[in-house]
């Protein structure tokens, strides 16, 4: 055994020359260089060995799990357990998606749906019968039962419903 002592031997002081700390100094220089971005991958911001992108695995394409949720494309964080569904693109797809997308809003008259514009992101009304579309400032109104009218209070500006035959006024829409 006349070979060079290993690191364990160095730790016990078996090396006689002053090269004892040479490996430590080299390691320290290597770590300093890596921490400054001068390692095998190049400087920070440069495309290195992997082309600047991580390929494969759960993070490819910006998707993957992070904590208790996942990034569901277009920069939206989706809590775990929720399914990310694509936005509807055709009128039949929008008809099917009404409850899922707009179920929390007031029901529309028969034959009318809400559609979110793919280009502007704005919601508008669309008649599946006539093809007419309206912006949110001009909503379609359901046909009223006989003798009922939609009125606006002069004092409060609030909308109410008035029956011209009975004289009844109410805030809830009358049913047929």
């Amino acid at each position: 055994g006349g070979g060079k002592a290993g690191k364990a031997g160095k730790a016990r002081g078996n090396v006689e020359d002053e090269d004892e700390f040479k490996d430590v100094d080299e390691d320290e220089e290597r770590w300093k260089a890596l921490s400054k971005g001068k390692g095998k991958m190049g400087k920070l911001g440069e495309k290195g060995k992997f082309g600047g992108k991580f390929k494969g695995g759960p993070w490819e394409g910006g998707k993957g799990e992070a904590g208790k949720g996942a990034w569901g494309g277009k920069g939206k964080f989706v809590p775990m357990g929720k399914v990310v569904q694509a936005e509807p693109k055709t009128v039949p797809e929008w008809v099917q998606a009404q409850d899922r997308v707009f179920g929390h809003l007031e029901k529309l008259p028969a034959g009318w749906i809400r559609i979110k514009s793919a280009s502007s992101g704005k919601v508008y009304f669309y008649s599946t019968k006539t093809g007419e579309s309206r912006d949110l400032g001009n909503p379609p109104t359901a046909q009223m039962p006989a003798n009922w009218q939609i009125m606006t209070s002069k004092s409060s500006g609030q909308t109410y419903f008035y029956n011209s035959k009975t004289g009844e006024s109410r805030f809830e829409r009358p049913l047929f």
Side-chain angles (χ1 to χ4, degrees):
K4 188 174 179 180
K7 289 189 180 195
K10 287 182 182 182
R12 287 190 294 261
N14 293 342
V15 176
E16 296 170 9
D17 58 25
E18 290 190 15
D19 287 355
E20 180 175 352
F21 296 105
K22 184 177 181 187
D23 284 346
V24 174
D25 290 343
E26 287 174 5
D27 286 346
E28 191 172 316
E29 290 301 317
R30 200 172 309 136
W31 281 111
K32 282 182 184 176
L34 286 172
S35 70
K36 292 179 182 173
K38 296 180 181 176
K40 292 181 182 179
M41 292 295 287
K43 291 182 181 176
L44 190 63
E46 291 181 354
K47 287 190 177 179
K49 185 175 177 181
F50 296 103
K53 290 186 177 180
F54 178 76
K55 302 221 183 222
W59 294 103
E60 185 169 3
K63 295 180 182 169
E65 295 186 6
K68 294 184 179 178
W71 291 100
K74 293 190 178 183
K76 294 180 182 174
F77 184 75
V78 180
M80 289 300 274
K82 291 237 178 188
V83 176
V84 178
Q85 294 182 333
E87 286 277 321
K89 295 190 182 346
T90 65
V91 170
E93 288 175 358
W94 276 109
V95 169
Q96 291 292 317
Q98 289 300 291
D99 286 338
R100 177 175 57 86
V101 180
F102 302 112
H104 62 289
L105 299 174
E106 185 180 332
K107 295 285 183 210
L108 294 174
W112 285 90
I113 62 171
R114 290 177 178 93
I115 295 178
K116 183 177 177 186
S117 169
S119 58
S120 71
K122 292 182 179 180
V123 175
Y124 63 94
F125 301 109
Y126 178 82
S127 170
T128 56
K129 293 178 182 175
T130 66
E132 177 189 354
S133 61
R134 299 179 177 192
D135 64 16
L136 286 179
N138 184 20
T141 55
Q143 199 170 5
M144 298 297 291
N147 303 316
W148 284 95
Q149 302 170 2
I150 300 174
M151 307 291 284
T152 304
S153 168
K154 291 177 184 173
S155 60
S156 70
Q158 196 170 8
T159 299
Y160 67 96
F161 303 92
Y162 174 73
N163 186 316
S164 60
K165 187 173 184 180
T166 65
E168 180 185 353
S169 297
R170 62 163 85 168
F171 290 106
E172 300 83 30
R173 180 178 284 274
L175 302 174
F176 281 95

